[in-house]
Amino acid sequence: MSSGKAVTVLERCRATLPYLVVLAAGAYLYYTAENFEFEQSSGRIGPGAWPKLILVLMLASALWGAVSSALQIGKSDAIADADEMETLVRPPEIYPWLVWVAVAATVGYLLILPVLGFFLATIVYAFVLMYLGHYRRFVPAVLLSVAIAFAFMFMFMRVVYVALPVGVAPFDRLSYALMAAMGVH
Amino acid sequence: MVIGNLAHGFVEVFQPFDLLMLFVGLLVGMAVSIMPGLGLVMGVILALPFTYQMPIEPAVILLTAIYFSGTYGGCFTAILYRIPGEPMDVPMLWDGYTMAKRGQPAKALGWALLAALIAGLVSSAVMVALAGPMSEAALKFDSPDYFAAVFFGLTTVVALAGKSLVNSLISLCVGLLVATIGIDSIYGTDRFTFGVPILRDGVQLVEVLVGMYGLGEVLARIGQGLHLDKPKEAKVNVATQFPSLREFLAIKMTLFRSTVLGTVLGIVPGAGATITSFISYGIEKQYGRRRQLLGTGIPEGIVAPQIGATASVAGHMIPLLTLGLPGSGATAVILAAFLLHGVQPGPMLFEDSASSLMVYTILASMFASVIGMCLVGFFWIRVVVKVLTIPQGVLSAIVVMFCLVGAYANRNDMSDVWMIVIFGVLGYLFEKLRFPISPMVLGAILGPVGETAFMRSMISSDNDWTVFFRGPICGPLMVGSILALSYPLLRQLFLMRRRTAAVVISGEPR
């Protein structure tokens, strides 16, 4: 019985936390908006008026959200029904850690992109994304990664005329060779 | 006059490149709406980078075609495999899938096609007729009226966006705040830039849209394990069978009711295809002649949600073209396409002949999209349904690449890609914590328009806030906004009272 109660308290804290984060961020941004530097002209509202109006609404909403989550107000039957229906189109999250691995992989991709160039960096990144997406057949995944990198390079450099990163030496040689093969100058 | 302009528009639509973009858009819209986790908004976002180098007409035709066919394609997987490609297809499961299971999948598909055709053509015709008067009315708007129109749009989006009014309001505020980042246009003051140079230019619309809707959605899907039930191959060969005239006439009231409802609700900002689909089904359940049989596989249960979803598209396009106000995620992306081409949608588009021809070309493409999507659905759906066989891991890699490279292509700037990652993570957290995304995105888009109208009104009225309530246009709009905001609260109170009453009745001694 007591463990069930402890879980409820933990759940309430977890539900309240996002609102507390919004409250803290909102308060800091309000303070920032109060101190915008501008030349005051008589009778006119300043550049902080509009953001402060929004922040007041956000702080009031977050306060209401924090209080209602802490006290568990307003969970109706209609919401419970809607939750059931939602599982049809939105399955529950089962691998939350995979999301953060994907985010880390994306950050890593953006860091290596200027070094390796678009083609090589994209092969590595596409392979990692497929692996995270439970596509674990090694050889087809490698071939598909190469195909994706090549197709995007062709589509965006040859068709849409975008200058994708070519990388630094010696990796840039491969990029230039591919560009020459595609007819991109 | 309207007919003549529309005829010129049709001539433009049938130019080879415009027609090609229409066809590509229809196929893309079908494909993304069939695949769970993608959806029509993702479709228009993925197509956006390809429009940078195009003239404005084919660009908007491509995106509009994706939007239209995106409301229709999902019915195939919902009816045949019980896989809702999008939330709007959920009502289709109850009657469409049941009818298919009873051995009439071809008939179920026929009803869905007919519903999409009627809804698309009728709502497009109604909206084209209203476009002229609406743009003339919009020309009379002054700053308080414009602010009230934006405020009304944002409040209805908040009221209809999610189950929690508080979360919707916070989401909206985040979007409005994102729009204030950068140098203020009136005073030239740095706002919320924190000394970061790239923030001085403000946040690009593409970054918000692609990050929140594109990358954020893929991250959420990765967390869900990219689950998808594979369809049984046997059903892929099902054809479409049209209902007979007698069957058609038997549900004429459903057709009429749902078409009117979908078209009218489409004009309301925030009432996207999902909401209109559910409301149409709900109204049918409440007032339909055979309401007790809904859910057992009757045509009314297929026709009502399909009409509601497709009819809402034309309803959303007209406020975008006449007022410059998007009411849904997809129209927000279409607005971004306009702005990236240096065109501000609004009443002025109807004023000179060149831009008026562009508008009527887009309007004509709506009719062509409806007919085209029905033809594609009838003849080619077996090919399009094959996208379900692409492994989800491979598909997510392709989508992420489109998001990142698409954002980079906007300005050839890596900082845009970093912003995508930031908004992608924010989008994922919004999904995870049940904060609706659409108020945030529409807040980011409409924020600058709202702020400019607000500041002008306040400066011209010597800071008198009652200016927003005094005018014949802004007054009713502001009252409507307050009513829209009260609606979720009143609904909550009503449900709580009903639940209390039910508990009291069930607790009474017999």
Side-chain angles (χ1 to χ4, degrees):
Chain A
M1 196 71 179
S2 63
S3 71
K5 215 169 191 177
V7 168
T8 310
V9 171
L10 190 69
E11 277 175 355
R12 286 185 190 194
C13 290
R14 201 177 282 173
T16 311
L17 188 64
Y19 300 109
L20 296 179
V21 171
V22 173
L23 271 174
Y28 171 70
L29 291 176
Y30 191 92
Y31 169 78
T32 310
E34 275 278 283
N35 295 294
F36 285 150
E37 287 172 12
F38 70 103
E39 272 186 43
Q40 181 81 52
S41 51
S42 61
R44 284 175 71 172
I45 53 175
W50 174 253
K52 282 196 295 190
L53 207 62
I54 299 162
L55 283 162
V56 167
L57 179 64
M58 189 167 90
L59 287 168
S61 306
L63 190 64
W64 175 257
V67 171
S68 58
S69 324
L71 302 175
Q72 288 282 292
I73 300 168
K75 179 90 175 173
S76 68
D77 289 344
I79 289 175
D81 290 348
D83 286 344
E84 263 175 48
M85 204 170 60
E86 205 175 69
T87 53
L88 274 168
V89 282
R90 188 162 290 285
E93 189 174 50
I94 43 179
Y95 305 111
W97 57 274
L98 266 187
V99 175
W100 297 109
V101 175
V103 172
T106 309
V107 171
Y109 173 60
L110 297 192
L111 291 173
I112 62 167
L113 197 56
V115 181
L116 294 184
F118 179 81
F119 186 70
L120 286 177
T122 302
I123 291 174
V124 178
Y125 180 58
F127 181 83
V128 171
L129 278 181
M130 281 186 229
Y131 189 84
L132 294 176
H134 301 276
Y135 188 74
R136 305 278 162 89
R137 294 160 62 196
F138 184 79
V139 176
V142 170
L143 293 175
L144 277 168
S145 303
V146 174
I148 288 172
F150 188 82
F152 271 89
M153 199 169 166
F154 182 81
M155 217 162 17
F156 280 88
M157 293 189 98
R158 186 79 177 85
V159 181
V160 192
Y161 303 112
V162 176
L164 293 171
V166 291
V168 296
F171 305 110
D172 59 345
R173 285 187 203 160
L174 178 64
S175 300
Y176 288 128
L178 282 169
M179 285 163 67
M182 289 175 192
V184 179
H185 306 290
Chain B
M1 180 73 173
V2 175
I3 304 284
N5 288 334
L6 205 56
H8 282 118
F10 271 111
V11 172
E12 291 296 315
V13 171
F14 286 99
Q15 298 295 318
F17 190 62
D18 288 3
L19 203 57
L20 176 69
M21 287 304 106
L22 183 92
F23 183 65
V24 171
L26 293 174
L27 286 181
V28 173
M30 291 263 177
V32 292
S33 64
I34 280 169
M35 192 60 108
L38 291 188
L40 61 91
V41 180
M42 180 80 91
V44 286
I45 282 174
L46 296 182
L48 187 62
F50 294 97
T51 66
Y52 298 159
Q53 304 290 334
M54 287 180 200
I56 180 76
E57 291 92 345
V60 178
I61 287 171
L62 172 75
L63 302 180
T64 309
I66 295 174
Y67 191 10
F68 260 108
S69 65
T71 63
Y72 169 56
C75 78
F76 289 91
T77 46
I79 288 171
L80 298 178
Y81 312 120
R82 205 174 182 271
I83 299 172
E86 291 217 49
M88 80 178 87
D89 299 317
V90 170
M92 199 70 80
L93 300 177
W94 302 324
D95 284 275
Y97 181 70
T98 314
M99 189 185 270
K101 215 165 60 173
R102 242 185 13 222
Q104 295 178 297
K107 197 54 150 306
L109 292 177
W111 279 115
L113 190 151
L114 196 69
L117 184 69
I118 292 170
L121 292 180
V122 173
S123 63
S124 297
V126 170
M127 287 299 133
V128 167
L130 286 178
M134 272 178 85
S135 71
E136 276 172 30
L139 282 172
K140 295 185 181 119
F141 278 27
D142 52 22
S143 291
D145 299 328
Y146 225 82
F147 174 77
V150 171
F151 190 67
F152 178 72
L154 292 176
T155 49
T156 50
V157 168
V158 164
L160 296 171
K163 286 167 279 183
S164 161
L165 177 66
V166 167
N167 288 6
S168 301
L169 277 172
I170 291 173
S171 173
L172 171 69
C173 292
V174 172
L176 290 170
L177 284 172
V178 164
T180 64
I181 294 172
I183 298 174
D184 160 55
S185 60
I186 295 176
Y187 292 90
T189 307
D190 272 20
R191 297 193 300 190
F192 305 126
T193 54
F194 306 106
V196 181
I198 58 163
L199 291 181
R200 296 195 81 208
D201 289 340
V203 175
Q204 301 289 307
L205 274 184
V206 176
E207 295 163 0
V208 179
L209 288 165
V210 177
M212 297 293 286
Y213 280 123
L215 187 61
E217 181 65 34
V218 175
L219 291 175
R221 297 273 301 157
I222 287 174
Q224 292 156 4
L226 294 167
H227 170 78
L228 175 64
D229 291 324
K230 289 280 173 206
K232 291 179 183 68
E233 197 60 33
K235 280 188 181 171
V236 171
N237 292 323
V238 166
T240 301
Q241 183 194 340
F242 285 107
S244 66
L245 184 65
R246 200 162 56 87
E247 288 172 313
F248 175 78
L249 290 174
I251 62 157
K252 57 182 181 296
M253 280 314 291
T254 303
L255 292 164
F256 176 74
R257 212 173 11 241
S258 304
T259 307
V260 172
L261 198 68
T263 308
V264 173
L265 282 177
I267 304 171
V268 179
T274 302
I275 288 173
T276 49
S277 160
F278 274 89
I279 291 180
S280 290
Y281 191 87
I283 292 287
E284 198 55 33
K285 203 165 187 170
Q286 207 146 14
Y287 301 107
R289 191 168 53 85
R290 297 200 294 168
R291 54 187 174 273
Q292 288 89 354
L293 294 175
L294 271 182
T296 62
I298 61 171
E300 290 91 325
I302 300 168
V303 166
Q306 183 62 62
I307 285 185
T310 306
S312 69
V313 178
H316 274 133
M317 287 299 291
I318 297 305
L320 173 71
L321 292 170
T322 56
L323 299 169
L325 301 179
S328 64
T331 42
V333 184
I334 297 173
L335 174 65
F338 271 110
L339 298 178
L340 285 166
H341 283 83
V343 178
Q344 173 64 56
M348 297 310 288
L349 281 186
F350 289 79
E351 288 302 288
D352 74 277
S353 58
S355 59
S356 175
L357 178 63
M358 178 193 76
V359 172
Y360 279 98
T361 304
I362 293 164
L363 294 177
S365 80
M366 287 169 28
F367 292 95
S369 293
V370 173
I371 293 166
M373 81 182 179
C374 291
L375 290 173
V376 170
F378 189 78
F379 291 110
W380 280 26
I381 197 63
R382 285 172 223 175
V383 181
V384 181
V385 166
K386 296 276 184 199
V387 295
L388 282 175
T389 58
I390 301 173
Q392 289 277 292
V394 177
L395 192 74
S396 61
I398 294 170
V399 171
V400 170
M401 288 313 301
F402 266 115
C403 292
L404 299 180
V405 185
Y408 177 81
N410 186 20
R411 295 190 299 180
N412 283 13
D413 190 343
M414 279 301 286
S415 62
D416 288 341
V417 191
W418 282 105
M419 293 298 279
I420 293 284
V421 178
I422 291 168
F423 281 107
V425 173
L426 191 65
Y428 161 69
L429 290 174
F430 266 48
E431 289 269 358
K432 187 182 169 79
L433 300 170
R434 297 285 190 266
F435 284 80
I437 290 176
S438 53
M440 188 273 176
V441 169
L442 290 174
I445 289 170
L446 295 178
V449 184
E451 181 179 3
T452 307
F454 174 80
M455 293 297 280
R456 277 190 192 151
S457 308
M458 292 299 277
I459 289 168
S460 62
S461 68
D462 292 327
N463 298 341
D464 178 9
W465 58 269
T466 61
V467 68
F468 299 114
F469 292 88
R470 290 200 307 254
I473 297 170
C474 59
L477 280 171
M478 290 301 277
V479 172
S481 307
I482 291 163
L483 289 175
L485 271 182
S486 322
Y487 164 72
L489 291 172
L490 294 173
R491 190 183 59 174
Q492 187 87 10
L493 282 173
F494 172 73
L495 288 169
M496 281 169 78
R497 277 189 67 173
R498 204 171 61 171
R499 196 168 46 152
T500 314
V503 169
V504 170
I505 289 166
S506 64
E508 277 178 1
R510 290 180 189 183

